[in-house]
Amino acid sequence: MIIPRPRELAVLGGTVAFHPDLVRYAARDPGLGEEGYRLDVGPAGIELTAGGRAGCFYGLRTLAQFGAAVPYGTVEDRPRFGWRGVMLDVARHFMPKTFVLRLIDLLAEHKLNVLHLHLTDDQGWRLSIERYPRLTEVGARRGGPQAFYTRDDVREIVAYAAERFVTVVPEIEMPGHAQAAIAAYPELGNEPSRRLEVWSRWGISEHVLNLEEPTVRFCQDVLDEVAELFPSTYIHVGGDECPPAEWEASPRARRRLAELGLSGPSEACGWFIGRMAEHLEGLGRKLVCWDEPDRAPTPGTTVMVWRDEEALPDRTDIILAPYTRTYLDYYPSDAPGQPRAQPGVVSLADAYGFRPDPGVRGVQCQLWTEYMPTPERVEYMAFPRLCAFAEVAWGTPGDYPDFLRRLDPHLARLTAQGVHVGPLVP
């Protein structure tokens, strides 16, 4: 019933009662890696050997999944990928802090170690920035009251996650997906005299940040505060789906492109991301962005590949997040009567069949929330597919029928915890 499945599991006859206080802890074994562990279970009890504090935590999670009686035998386990992430979009539909903390617990239970918070988009700005208060005064409203995370909220979330060996990676979208920011500060846009609303529709707004130096400084100021709040080495700046139409139509944008020595609007997004990468490097951080096929890679950045999982750039600093395998906002099946979702299907088998290139840095699944207005709907769409993804991320997917056999008791355990599990459609 263990999910994700351990790398090595040898079960013998007999069982021993499990209680955390009865576990013996052996000296650390660096050969297991920081997240690796070994369990030796026999008549004398349970001995846990870990490579680091995270490995000790994961070893205890495995014991808890066995339940009250742990079978005699040996488990030796370690993950394949260092980045095992889940993206939660809180920009389109805000998710309360209590749910974010609950989701962190669920990530930890599945041995996932990154929570990527998508904090800003056309439809909302969900993070308090002291230097620019209108970002939440205006940008955090989408046809209703303000909804955003305070600085104290963020500190609580980050600390709670760290105790469970989960790193919180923030995302601030730029230079596209920026209508909420432009609604708050029109001077950031390409027509400063125009007044926009926070976008109420689903899709990609044509309104993007202008290329002026004050706008670059605005983004750098925001990233300074983000870096202060989030200790993660990595900070995500989006960089995807940036329509060039406004830059093409704006005489000032065309002059600015000429000043910068860029051949045209198609190079503007890459230039903008490069400026942010330089700034984050100066803060001791690393930039993450979504992949775009028409943008040259910025040196020193980590790229999230969400399009073609087979056509990988020639680099190792890649997080694989292919929409055909990891986008959990798609329908889990083509059965009628399901709640509205993104058109298309990513089935449980699709998620479990994901076989990432072992040379990449990590993998991630995505919970885009335009069709998930509540925490309950997020859980419904996440489970059981997130269970399959967790096994892929740990690096131990195997026989699909065996996974389904282990999944049944695991889902019963989640349901007993109050998780809103969606239908199991093998």
Side-chain angles (χ1 to χ4, degrees), residues 274-338:
R275 290 292 301 271
M276 297 306 119
E278 292 172 2
H279 187 74
L280 288 174
E281 184 178 9
L283 299 176
R285 307 302 180 88
K286 296 181 180 179
L287 182 143
V288 187
C289 60
W290 299 102
D291 77 291
E292 293 295 316
D294 57 352
R295 186 177 69 219
T298 302
T301 64
T302 294
V303 176
M304 282 191 169
V305 177
W306 66 276
R307 296 168 188 261
D308 186 350
E309 64 189 274
E310 304 297 333
L312 294 182
D314 185 19
R315 52 196 295 174
T316 58
D317 49 349
I318 286 171
I319 310 299
L320 277 179
Y323 72 96
T324 56
R325 302 285 188 176
T326 69
Y327 274 40
L328 305 187
D329 58 326
Y330 283 74
Y331 286 99
S333 80
D334 56 6
Q338 300 179 73

Side-chain angles (χ1 to χ4, degrees), residues 25 27 30 57 67 85 93 136 141 198 233-234 242 269 276 329 345 358:
Y25 296 93
F57 179 83
H93 281 109
T136 47
R141 299 180 188 275
V198 175
T233 299
Y234 297 94
C242 186
C269 185
M276 297 306 119
D329 58 326
V345 173

